[in-house]
Amino acid sequence: MAGFKTDVVTREIIRGKMLAVADEMGVVVKRSSMSPVIYEVLDFACGFCDPEGQLVSQTNGITVFTGTFSIQIKIILEKFRNQIEQGDIYMLNNPYEGGTHYNDVGVIKPIFVDGELFAFAITISHWTDIGGKAPGSLPADSTEIFQEGICFPGIHIYKAGERQEGLFEMIAHNVRIPKMALGDLNAALASVRIAENRCLELCEKYGEQAVRETFRHILETSESVSRAAVAALPDGVYHAEDWVDGDGITEDRFPAKVEVCIEGDEVTFDFTGSSPQVQGPINCSRSALISAVKTVFKAIVDPQSPSNEGWFRPLKVIAPDGTIFTATKPAPVGWYYEGTAHASELAWKALAPVAPKRVSMGSANSLCVTVLGGIDHDRGEPWVMIEPGMVGWGATDERDG
């Protein structure tokens, strides 16, 4: 490939090492966190991005998280571009600006090499409790976001290496289990720091230019394969419609629809016409919608290769603001995964005639999460438990559901 000074073997070695960095981040989170939903359910994901926020390697984590990595980092870049310093670490869980719901807390660390912004490390993990009106911060009857916990709208945890003590104190006073929440935060901090160490080691061993060129190589080769896969699909416009049954407040049915347009080597998913945002917490944010579509798109073009932002350059997602898939403040989004499940199923359904060997039949279309909480009277402290349930998955052309 023209334009590279680093040889292809070295680039492949660096590519493999960057995948290993993301996996090591995941090991650190799993071993260091204090929430069972993180270290047992594995409700987290880690990624490594270039200085523009484009994902270049990730763990095999929660896909709805990995699809928001680039979106969240770009929020930080837009907010702090001229102020980002070595030693900064940021925190973001705002669903209206890159996040999913308040429980999914992103920790983002800029990585500097020779005084220049070189990359980003990001870890998103689900905190068992983040305040709000109900234990677990997932009230099924919430009608506004303020009932679902505290918001971190892209703020410093560390600024130029200095720990922001006020933030840690605020967390401790606003969640039900501060020891667990701060333990999970420290686990995420450890994971992005190990990513920084490994990045510096890579640059020292192979050279800064070689690592930068590998970033570009990963994105360009993935984009090329992705575009070829889309171009092999028949051009056309494909539709799917469905209903969302209830929102936690009413038992009304809410329409949901998608139009998928394949033209050459590009594909557009248009959710225009879906229900306006609803009273209850099954709404999802635009970033969660985009991530849900990315998951289906990747399954169509190449389900096995490691994911990065290059795969999604042929993809466009359209939806007006204020729908059940693009909720705006103060709509509740605590149970956003119900909304994203419907978005994924719609995309899946629309593309079934195009790539029948790559899709399955419909799923149970719900996480069926159970959240319990109360007071441990022996210790006089709150407790919270969250447990996703197993649901049915549809058959494929090779196996039963």
Side-chain angles (χ1 to χ4, degrees), residues 17-33 38 44-49 55-60 69 73 107-109 111 119-125 184 186-199:
K17 286 184 175 293
M18 285 196 291
L19 290 169
V21 169
D23 287 340
E24 186 176 4
M25 292 173 69
V27 171
V28 169
V29 173
K30 182 179 177 182
R31 291 183 175 178
S32 304
S33 62
I38 298 176
F44 70 89
C46 306
F48 192 82
C49 303
L55 177 68
V56 292
S57 67
Q58 66 170 61
T59 54
N60 187 22
F69 284 165
I73 291 174
V107 171
I108 300 166
K109 181 169 179 53
I111 298 171
F120 286 90
I122 180 170
T123 292
I124 301 175
S125 50
D184 293 340
N186 285 329
L189 288 167
S191 74
V192 296
R193 285 172 173 148
I194 200 70
E196 179 183 45
N197 292 341
R198 298 296 179 257
C199 179

Side-chain angles (χ1 to χ4, degrees), residues 88-104:
D88 286 352
I89 307 179
Y90 303 94
M91 194 171 187
L92 190 153
N93 71 342
N94 186 356
Y96 312 111
E97 291 190 347
T100 50
H101 65 175
Y102 281 169
N103 292 78
D104 298 335

Side-chain angles (χ1 to χ4, degrees), residues 46-306:
C46 306
F48 192 82
C49 303
D50 75 2
E52 297 302 317
Q54 299 179 99
L55 177 68
V56 292
S57 67
Q58 66 170 61
T59 54
N60 187 22
I62 299 294
T63 54
V64 77
F65 294 175
T66 59
T68 69
F69 284 165
S70 296
I71 302 171
Q72 295 202 29
I73 291 174
K74 287 174 182 177
I75 293 292
I76 297 298
L77 280 168
E78 290 171 8
K79 188 172 182 178
F80 297 103
R81 180 174 288 278
N82 298 322
Q83 306 166 42
I84 296 176
E85 300 179 83
Q86 189 159 352
D88 286 352
I89 307 179
Y90 303 94
M91 194 171 187
L92 190 153
N93 71 342
N94 186 356
Y96 312 111
E97 291 190 347
T100 50
H101 65 175
Y102 281 169
N103 292 78
D104 298 335
V105 179
V107 171
I108 300 166
K109 181 169 179 53
I111 298 171
F112 285 76
V113 176
D114 295 331
E116 184 178 355
L117 181 60
F118 187 81
F120 286 90
I122 180 170
T123 292
I124 301 175
S125 50
H126 180 110
W127 289 15
T128 297
D129 184 272
I130 197 160
K133 67 178 284 191
S137 313
L138 296 173
D141 61 348
S142 62
T143 56
E144 56 181 6
I145 192 72
F146 309 110
Q147 299 167 337
E148 297 179 342
I150 55 176
C151 179
F152 309 117
I155 56 177
H156 286 91
I157 313 172
Y158 281 76
K159 185 172 177 60
E162 182 177 345
R163 175 175 155 126
Q164 303 300 290
E165 296 294 347
L167 175 61
F168 287 80
E169 187 175 357
M170 183 190 75
I171 292 170
H173 283 275
N174 281 278
V175 303
R176 290 173 176 81
I177 314 175
K179 183 177 180 180
M180 182 179 287
L182 293 174
D184 293 340
L185 174 56
N186 285 329
L189 288 167
S191 74
V192 296
R193 285 172 173 148
I194 200 70
E196 179 183 45
N197 292 341
R198 298 296 179 257
C199 179
L200 296 176
E201 291 170 2
L202 274 175
C203 290
E204 183 177 353
K205 183 170 184 178
Y206 297 100
E208 178 183 337
Q209 176 180 283
V211 180
R212 285 188 186 276
E213 288 191 353
T214 303
F215 290 166
R216 183 159 63 91
H217 170 67
I218 289 171
L219 297 170
E220 289 182 358
T221 53
S222 297
E223 178 185 5
S224 177
V225 176
S226 183
R227 289 192 181 279
V230 174
L233 300 173
D235 284 3
V237 179
Y238 307 90
H239 298 87
E241 296 186 12
D242 203 347
W243 297 88
V244 179
D245 294 321
D247 64 350
I249 305 298
T250 76
E251 296 183 4
D252 295 343
R253 304 178 78 205
F254 305 102
K257 58 179 65 178
V258 69
E259 177 182 277
V260 182
C261 178
I262 300 174
E263 186 173 3
D265 63 357
E266 297 188 342
V267 58
T268 300
F269 291 77
D270 188 344
F271 290 84
T272 301
S274 295
S275 169
Q277 61 193 43
V278 296
Q279 283 183 280
I282 64 166
N283 301 294
C284 72
S285 64
R286 182 177 294 276
S287 52
L289 169 67
I290 293 171
S291 187
V293 175
K294 283 180 174 179
T295 302
V296 173
F297 178 80
K298 183 65 166 59
I300 296 294
V301 297
D302 189 331
Q304 301 300 328
S305 297

Side-chain angles (χ1 to χ4, degrees), residues 37 41-44 61-65 100-101 103-104 126 138 244-245 281-284 288 292 333-345 362-371 385-393:
V37 73
V41 180
L42 308 182
D43 198 348
F44 70 89
I62 299 294
T63 54
V64 77
F65 294 175
T100 50
H101 65 175
N103 292 78
D104 298 335
H126 180 110
L138 296 173
V244 179
D245 294 321
I282 64 166
N283 301 294
C284 72
V333 295
W335 291 68
Y336 80 96
Y337 36 79
E338 302 295 321
T340 55
H342 278 276
S344 296
E345 289 286 320
S363 73
N365 212 21
S366 176
L367 264 178
C368 299
V369 173
T370 300
V371 184
M385 187 208 78
I386 176 171
E387 183 65 29
M390 300 300 292
V391 299
W393 291 88

